[in-house]
Amino acid sequence: MNKSWILLLLLHVLPATAAELTVSAASSLTEGFREIAGAYAARHPDARVDLNFAASGVLLQQVARGAPVDVLAFADQATMDQAARRGLVDPSTRQVFASNALWVVVPPRAASPPASLAALAGPAVTRVTLGNPDSVPAGRYARQALQQAGLWPSLQPRLILAQNVRQSLDYVARGEVDAGFVYATDALAMPGRVRRAFEVPLPGGIHYPLAMVKGSRNADEARRFIAFVRSPAGQAILRRHGFGSP
């Protein structure tokens, strides 16, 4: 058998190496991006998507320290602004791909859930959880709302800071706190384990951006993934998980 036939045989027998794409996404995107990654892999069998979830600020620091990430998806524009200022992302690929809302949630059996931010300062509420504002966008949104309401200083003794929004959600679900600030999508991901008390008013809303990390080893694949998230198929998946339009 000549060498050309051997080469052809190997090409048919050996599987093609899939392009590996690493996507780091905010914790609140966990269910939505897992489904998106599955749909993307089904549409592009030549690609494999590895997902990494954490608070947006943590993801930013990981990339700043050299983590081999191809796409970043944050829960707020401020963190992406930081990434852009530090030259960590390709600004031409930056896209807003979803929106969300901030809710105050309570344990399912809460007898007298607060109906407003002001009610969080009442005697019925002794512990309130939110993500650490230094690294968690949901925490920054909560702090912004409380500052605008003039409640931030008075609530300090009652605050339990969490590492990410999912931890805040767990504190509420386990009844370890009286109320917590989480995204609407997170609350919807745990039906029956938490109950919405009210939506927090936020001028400007909550918008999620994503972008390709500068120097990505899989630039073409990263752009293709970003396009898929923004496509009708990707947007339909995000809507199923409670996210709004960009």
Side-chain angles (χ1 to χ4, degrees), residues 22-103:
T22 300
V23 178
S24 285
S27 298
S28 55
L29 291 164
T30 300
E31 288 80 15
F33 263 43
R34 281 178 179 164
E35 186 175 347
I36 282 177
Y40 182 81
R43 183 169 295 193
H44 303 291
D46 59 325
R48 191 183 84 187
V49 180
D50 294 323
L51 296 170
N52 171 45
F53 297 105
S56 294
V58 172
L59 299 177
L60 175 66
Q61 293 308 314
Q62 289 173 353
V63 171
R65 292 177 184 138
V69 176
D70 300 295
V71 176
L72 282 170
F74 292 141
D76 68 335
Q77 297 275 37
T79 306
M80 190 62 79
D81 289 342
Q82 291 183 51
R85 285 195 298 270
R86 296 168 73 171
L88 299 176
V89 295
D90 180 343
S92 70
T93 64
R94 179 173 177 172
Q95 301 276 347
V96 173
F97 66 94
S99 60
N100 212 335
L102 189 68
W103 288 0

Side-chain angles (χ1 to χ4, degrees), residues 61-240:
Q61 293 308 314
Q62 289 173 353
V63 171
R65 292 177 184 138
V69 176
D70 300 295
V71 176
L72 282 170
F74 292 141
D76 68 335
Q77 297 275 37
T79 306
M80 190 62 79
D81 289 342
Q82 291 183 51
R85 285 195 298 270
R86 296 168 73 171
L88 299 176
V89 295
D90 180 343
S92 70
T93 64
R94 179 173 177 172
Q95 301 276 347
V96 173
F97 66 94
S99 60
N100 212 335
L102 189 68
W103 288 0
V104 166
V105 295
V106 296
R109 297 181 181 178
S112 302
S116 66
L117 289 173
L120 295 176
V125 179
T126 60
R127 291 167 298 176
V128 180
T129 184
L130 53 86
N132 187 335
D134 292 336
S135 59
V136 183
R140 283 198 291 276
Y141 290 126
R143 180 176 62 185
Q144 173 191 342
L146 291 170
Q147 286 174 334
Q148 290 175 344
L151 297 168
W152 180 250
S154 62
L155 283 179
Q156 290 291 309
R158 307 185 189 193
L159 298 183
I160 306 296
L161 300 185
Q163 295 179 355
N164 55 60
V165 71
R166 289 304 173 91
Q167 189 175 53
S168 292
L169 194 69
D170 287 338
Y171 287 158
V172 178
R174 294 195 297 261
E176 296 174 2
V177 296
D178 301 304
F181 289 84
V182 302
Y183 294 121
T185 51
D186 293 297
L188 293 171
M190 297 182 73
R193 297 191 61 193
V194 298
R195 180 156 55 107
R196 168 180 156 160
F198 61 91
E199 182 172 338
V200 179
L202 286 173
I206 297 173
H207 302 284
Y208 284 59
L210 80 170
M212 182 179 75
V213 174
K214 192 172 287 186
S216 166
R217 294 170 297 179
N218 302 290
D220 290 341
E221 200 67 48
R223 289 188 176 91
R224 189 165 71 168
F225 180 82
I226 290 171
F228 181 75
V229 173
R230 291 268 303 171
S231 73
Q235 291 294 297
I237 291 171
L238 290 169
R239 283 196 297 274
R240 282 201 295 274

